[in-house]
Amino acid sequence: MDLKITGGRIVTAEGTYKADIGINKGKITAIADKLPNEARTTISAKGKIVFPGAIDVHVHLQLPFCGTVSADDFENGTKAAACGGVTTVIDFAIQKKGETLKKTVAARRAEADGKVSVDYALHAVPTDWSEKTKGELFQLADSGYTTFKMFMIYAREGMISDDDALFAALEETAGFGGMVGVHAESVRVLDLLLDRYHNKQDMKKYGAYCHVLSRPNFIESEAIQRAVNWAEATGGKLYIVHMSTAEGADIISDAKKRGLNVYAETCPQYLLLDDSVFKKPNGHLYGTCPQVKKKADSDRLWEAMAAGDVSVVATDTCTFNKKQKAMWKGDFTKIPFGMPGVETLLPLMYSYGVGKKRITESQLVKLICTNPAKLMGMYPEKGNISIGADADLVVFDPHRKVTLSHKNLQTNCDWSPFEGFKLKGYPDTTISRGQVVAIQGVFVGDVGSGRFVKRHIGMNLK
Ligand code: URP
Ligand code: ZN
Ligand code: ZN
């Protein structure tokens, strides 16, 4: 046996029990009360929890965006993931005009392979819709890219997928079980409101808060409702990324009641922050699309998570440091949109979810491990603790107290949206396919040891 984890309390989506875990050649090979076998390395997890490694299905590493490139690249972003107990990330391969999707994913693979320190996969993002692009979806799924992402906004940035493309993609993927993720915001009204507030007087008066004024909740909810309509009409499987509003949660709850194959993801920023951050002197740092909303929205999202209507928590990591954010120069439309997050997903969700009794430990595992693995086509290899699964594990210390500061994080960011947040519970040891990759927030793994995950068709959740 290569590695043995002894005396820990295992937590899965189904429940919790005490057992030892044996690992050989990167896989879990034994789970028993007491494992007698000798192991090359033994980690004592006494007094600690053993979680499946978290899966962050929404990261943008080294993304060229808003006139700059996100500051956590594949190397550092995946080191940060390891430090935070995340053992798989899913990034995005965004099509350039005139390029095939096949070329798009190959180019993104070339940027990531050999650099990543935890396993990774890619969503393919069509932005140049045509019959040819449509015809590629099934071929891509066959090569392990089984989920697609479409932006309902970013018309001016040339990344939008209009209703015809979204409808056709849902129709096409319904035929083979693929899933379409959407960034749901209502582009035409949004662009009108962006223009309305994009004037010297309002930008001087409201500063970064113009970001809030130009994106009322109906900007998100109208687009979610429209996407749900297309999913209902086509029978396609729909996944709403980074859902931020109470109204969005209501639409998803209703769609689920009607038996639609519709899922939603939210992010820690929508659960733990509110839009008063945009009134701070450094409010522009928090600029992200969609923006964080009001406390009532967070409360509704927590409730929807506990009820199973929000299926996944991911981070939408798109790191921009202070120098990059300063590019806004007082113009809210020029903020590099995005924030760091992958490294703090598990500890934040543990402390503010489980710790505050908003969700149970098993619900936490469902939201950041098991549901992501099932929906994204990586289950049962990932997202659970069972014999034969990848040995992606986190030994988690539920007693460790940490005050969150960017200074103690691996991310290339010189600020954190969660600066000063008090945590009780932190990853102690992160194990990726049987290798220890991080200890107490410090990366100790081998750069480049992460692998591309060729995904199968995802499962539907009950
Ligand atoms: O502001 C964000 N979210 N930046 C990343 C791109 C996206 O829309 O997810
Ligand atoms: Zn987005
Ligand atoms: Zn995103």
Side-chain angles (χ1 to χ4, degrees):
M1 197 177 285
D2 294 330
L3 176 64
K4 191 162 74 165
I5 302 171
T6 58
R9 185 167 63 80
I10 294 172
V11 178
T12 69
E14 283 80 41
T16 179
Y17 57 99
K18 272 199 169 167
D20 293 353
I21 300 176
I23 293 162
N24 219 2
K25 297 194 172 74
K27 297 274 183 195
I28 297 174
T29 51
I31 303 175
D33 230 8
K34 276 254 164 301
L35 282 176
N37 320 44
E38 285 297 308
R40 259 187 283 281
T41 310
T42 298
I43 296 173
S44 168
K46 199 161 181 287
K48 303 199 174 95
I49 296 171
V50 185
F51 287 126
I55 301 174
D56 188 347
V57 303
H58 191 155
V59 303
H60 304 275
L61 305 177
Q62 60 188 70
L63 174 71
F65 193 51
C66 303
T68 181
V69 179
S70 62
D72 276 314
D73 57 11
F74 278 107
E75 180 173 329
N76 199 62
T78 54
K79 281 184 182 173
C83 293
V86 172
T87 51
T88 309
V89 296
I90 312 188
D91 201 283
F92 299 81
I94 304 177
Q95 185 183 29
K96 294 197 182 86
K97 301 287 175 208
E99 189 178 76
T100 62
L101 284 177
K102 191 172 172 203
K103 196 162 168 227
T104 302
V105 294
R108 198 68 172 152
R109 286 283 306 271
E111 290 178 334
D113 287 341
K115 307 265 179 14
V116 290
S117 298
V118 296
D119 289 352
Y120 84 104
L122 294 172
H123 306 283
V125 184
T127 62
D128 193 4
W129 192 254
S130 64
E131 281 302 305
K132 194 168 152 211
T133 302
K134 185 167 93 174
E136 283 196 273
L137 302 186
F138 175 71
Q139 295 163 25
L140 277 183
D142 212 33
S143 313
Y145 308 90
T146 52
T147 53
F148 307 92
K149 152 91 173 285
M150 297 177 109
F151 292 108
M152 295 173 83
I153 63 159
Y154 302 139
R156 292 166 180 176
E157 293 79 0
M159 296 200 297
I160 189 170
S161 286
D162 227 322
D163 283 357
D164 53 347
L166 178 53
F167 184 90
L170 283 162
E171 213 170 39
E172 180 70 11
T173 50
F176 60 86
M179 184 164 75
V180 179
V182 294
H183 174 142
E185 289 189 288
S186 199
V187 68
R188 303 210 193 282
V189 181
L190 171 60
D191 283 349
L192 178 152
L193 293 179
L194 289 176
D195 290 345
R196 180 172 295 171
Y197 287 98
H198 194 224
N199 63 73
K200 277 200 181 113
Q201 297 89 304
D202 282 327
M203 291 201 286
K204 190 157 181 253
K205 187 165 169 196
Y206 300 114
Y209 201 76
C210 284
H211 192 39
V212 175
L213 297 173
S214 56
R215 281 178 141 90
N217 282 21
F218 60 73
I219 291 294
E220 181 178 87
S221 60
E222 186 280 332
I224 291 179
Q225 184 63 70
R226 191 157 25 105
V228 168
N229 290 350
W230 302 148
E232 183 160 23
T234 57
K237 199 193 297 188
L238 177 72
Y239 178 87
I240 306 294
V241 305
H242 53 44
M243 189 168 75
S244 65
T245 56
E247 290 85 342
D250 291 345
I251 294 167
I252 298 299
S253 302
D254 176 65
K256 283 188 171 298
K257 276 195 199 94
R258 290 188 292 122
L260 300 186
N261 224 346
V262 163
Y263 303 95
E265 157 199 296
T266 192
C267 312
Q269 55 269 32
Y270 305 119
L271 297 165
L272 302 176
L273 302 176
D274 67 69
D275 64 17
S276 63
V277 294
F278 294 104
K279 291 190 170 155
K280 289 185 179 183
N282 64 354
H284 67 287
L285 294 179
Y286 297 81
T288 188
C289 303
Q291 88 284 17
V292 297
K293 302 292 193 307
K294 312 251 182 260
K295 186 171 177 301
D297 295 291
S298 310
D299 289 346
R300 177 69 184 98
L301 290 167
W302 278 110
E303 188 188 284
M305 272 168 39
D309 291 333
V310 167
S311 303
V312 173
V313 180
T315 63
D316 193 13
T317 293
C318 191
T319 306
F320 294 113
N321 59 34
K322 285 184 185 165
K323 190 164 170 216
Q324 292 175 300
K325 289 278 186 181
M327 288 165 61
W328 86 305
K329 294 201 181 95
D331 180 342
F332 74 104
T333 65
K334 298 207 164 52
I335 302 172
F337 290 122
M339 303 197 282
V342 65
E343 196 169 356
T344 49
L345 170 69
L346 169 57
L348 281 172
M349 289 307 296
Y350 183 83
S351 286
Y352 290 88
V354 177
K356 301 253 181 241
K357 303 205 184 316
R358 286 157 156 159
I359 50 171
T360 65
E361 287 173 341
S362 284
Q363 281 173 325
L364 171 68
V365 171
K366 257 191 199 166
L367 287 160
I368 64 172
C369 311
T370 313
N371 286 351
K374 286 182 173 172
L375 282 172
M376 302 295 165
M378 296 188 280
Y379 189 87
E381 300 86 354
K382 296 195 182 290
N384 82 110
I385 299 177
S386 63
I387 291 177
D390 287 353
D392 292 347
L393 299 162
V394 187
V395 178
F396 188 88
D397 183 350
H399 308 292
R400 186 162 163 220
K401 289 189 178 164
V402 171
T403 302
L404 218 152
S405 163
H406 71 274
K407 292 187 185 129
N408 305 325
L409 296 173
Q410 173 69 37
T411 171
N412 277 335
C413 209
D414 50 2
W415 68 283
S416 166
F418 307 104
E419 198 76 30
F421 272 51
K422 303 265 184 249
L423 302 173
K424 186 163 179 240
Y426 211 80
D428 193 71
T429 306
T430 307
I431 296 153
S432 164
R433 272 183 294 96
Q435 300 298 315
V436 173
V437 288
I439 298 175
Q440 299 204 337
V442 178
F443 181 73
V444 297
D446 295 326
V447 172
S449 60
R451 288 189 196 154
F452 173 72
V453 183
K454 190 171 173 227
R455 292 176 293 136
H456 38 84
I457 293 295
M459 299 162 66
N460 296 336
L461 302 179
K462 281 175 211 105

